[in-house]
Amino acid sequence: MPYKFDEHDATDLSRMIRRRRPEWTHQGIMKSLQQAAEAGATLGQVTTAAEKSTQNKKALTPAAIMWPEHWTTEAKTPNMTGTRLCAQCDPARKHAVTDMTEVARGVWICHECSGASAAGVGA
């Protein structure tokens, strides 16, 4: 399970970023890291985006941490390979992640149950 990114991680990561980009302010870095945390990013996702932004010569401010090119498709949609258990199906029934919908943070249902739920709403 990926670790959720928090304030303590942000402070530590800010120190590492400042060693690589001393012209970036701590406050600016923390603002971008806070945006990432509020978006629900994991520690690994934020660290990867921060590393990419520090290496990008076009990134003149810490706001670059949030640039889309520093967030790979993988980082935006973690765990999109393999299988998952549906929150509504028989607990032993696994589905390909590509056949699932995330209905809440970390809660997935299969397309079959998703369609059944939508059909039941109007009934």
Side-chain angles (χ1 to χ4, degrees):
M1 180 172 173
Y3 291 103
K4 186 176 177 184
F5 185 71
D6 65 21
E7 187 177 342
H8 298 289
D9 298 322
T11 301
D12 294 341
L13 186 54
S14 177
R15 285 189 204 115
M16 289 186 282
I17 293 168
R18 295 247 8 243
R19 281 199 307 269
R20 289 163 177 77
R21 297 298 292 263
E23 71 277 16
W24 289 3
T25 66
H26 174 73
Q27 294 81 8
I29 295 167
M30 291 298 285
K31 182 177 178 182
S32 287
L33 297 179
Q34 180 181 1
Q35 290 172 344
E38 288 171 358
T42 66
L43 176 59
Q45 292 167 338
V46 178
T47 303
T48 299
E51 180 66 18
K52 287 180 179 182
S53 67
T54 62
Q55 294 178 10
N56 185 342
K57 300 298 181 200
K58 294 179 184 176
L60 301 178
T61 69
I65 294 168
M66 295 304 293
W67 289 358
E69 61 262 33
H70 298 144
W71 294 81
T72 64
T73 302
E74 225 173 77
K76 290 180 184 174
T77 54
N79 302 322
M80 292 308 290
T81 60
T83 60
R84 286 190 177 271
L85 296 175
C86 175
Q88 292 183 0
C89 283
D90 174 359
R93 188 168 172 205
K94 290 185 178 183
H95 300 270
V97 173
T98 55
D99 294 332
M100 305 285 285
T101 301
E102 188 172 24
V103 294
R105 185 151 188 80
V107 179
W108 295 76
I109 61 172
C110 68
H111 289 171
E112 207 173 291
C113 288
S114 177
S117 298
V121 171

